[in-house]
Amino acid sequence: MSFTLVGPALEGTLVRLEPLDHRHAGDLAAAAEEDRSSYGFTWVPEAAEVERYIDAQLTRAAAGKLAPYVQVEQASGRAVGGTAYWDPRPWPTGDSLSAIEVGFTWLAASAQGTGMNTEAKYLLFRHAFENWGVSRLDLKTDARNKRSRAAIESVGARFEGVLRNWSPSWAPGEDGRLRDSAIFSITASEWPDCRTRLEERIARGLGRSN
């Protein structure tokens, strides 16, 4: 039986990752308009674009290319951002995954720096390695996006290099241009140590908030 990319709901203390649906549109529209100053290199819909954004993600999901999520803040029950599994690479037999990417990640300004991103990454990584049994997990960002690169490194991913002219740019005013992408990864052999560090970091963050 061939592998089908379906992302289950994933539950954390700060964040719950729910499969994206049109019922999340109102929350996402509000979240995206809080403060857009940190979205210079990231695909984040404006309020009027949210329905089209959801349609586009669900179309990718129907094609088996993406498993889109919303990030739901546990304390408020509001959807405050998005993330996804995407680019699944099956083994030649087709019945299991060799690798997958985590991407399409964004958070409302009020949710940034709260620990939600770290916990969301932990939940996604854990499911990929421990349930799907992947050998490798990728993360990519615009090579110019220093903030995103630092955030990716902070969750334990290793920088591998820059892929030149790799994908369409999301930066304002760069329609039709290609961007250089910085690529990071975690391998299965690295996951146990990465998991321990992430769990310790999450526990420290929760301790400070109590």
Side-chain angles (χ1 to χ4, degrees):
M1 185 170 65
S2 62
F3 177 85
T4 301
L5 180 60
V6 177
L10 301 171
E11 195 86 18
T13 301
L14 298 173
V15 64
R16 181 172 70 255
L17 300 181
E18 296 181 359
L20 175 67
D21 187 85
H22 278 282
R23 65 187 172 85
H24 299 115
D27 281 354
L28 292 179
E33 293 300 330
E34 284 187 12
D35 177 355
R36 300 184 61 85
S37 61
S38 65
Y39 300 153
F41 300 105
T42 306
W43 180 38
V44 180
E46 296 182 357
E49 301 170 327
V50 165
E51 292 287 355
R52 293 194 298 276
Y53 161 82
I54 294 174
D55 284 339
Q57 296 294 72
L58 294 182
T59 297
R60 293 181 176 93
K65 298 178 180 179
L66 186 81
Y69 285 98
V70 290
Q71 300 195 53
V72 177
E73 184 181 51
Q74 292 281 33
S76 67
R78 295 184 303 117
V80 293
T83 192
Y85 288 119
W86 76 300
D87 190 21
R89 279 102 74 199
W91 289 106
T93 57
D95 59 353
S96 60
L97 282 184
S98 65
I100 198 163
E101 184 166 342
V102 169
F104 289 98
T105 300
W106 64 277
L107 279 172
S110 61
Q112 296 173 21
T114 64
M116 287 181 60
N117 178 63
T118 299
E119 189 177 54
K121 291 293 194 298
Y122 168 75
L123 295 171
L124 292 165
F125 296 173
R126 185 179 66 182
H127 185 80
F129 284 112
E130 299 181 14
N131 292 83
W132 289 336
V134 301
S135 295
R136 171 190 171 92
L137 187 143
D138 304 338
L139 302 101
K140 290 199 292 287
T141 190
D142 192 305
R144 299 167 294 179
N145 192 341
K146 295 179 181 179
R147 178 174 180 167
S148 179
R149 291 176 64 158
I152 291 171
E153 289 183 329
S154 76
V155 294
R158 181 177 297 183
F159 174 62
E160 293 187 329
V162 173
L163 304 172
R164 296 178 299 165
N165 288 351
W166 180 254
S167 63
S169 174
W170 298 111
E174 293 188 354
D175 291 351
R177 292 177 55 183
L178 296 174
R179 76 176 196 188
D180 294 347
S181 293
I183 186 166
F184 300 77
S185 71
I186 302 168
T187 64
S189 63
E190 295 166 343
W191 169 240
D193 286 342
C194 180
R195 173 177 177 157
T196 297
R197 291 196 300 272
L198 284 172
E199 289 175 344
E200 291 173 348
R201 182 177 170 186
I202 292 166
R204 288 195 301 270
L206 291 172
R208 287 195 297 269
S209 65
N210 292 336

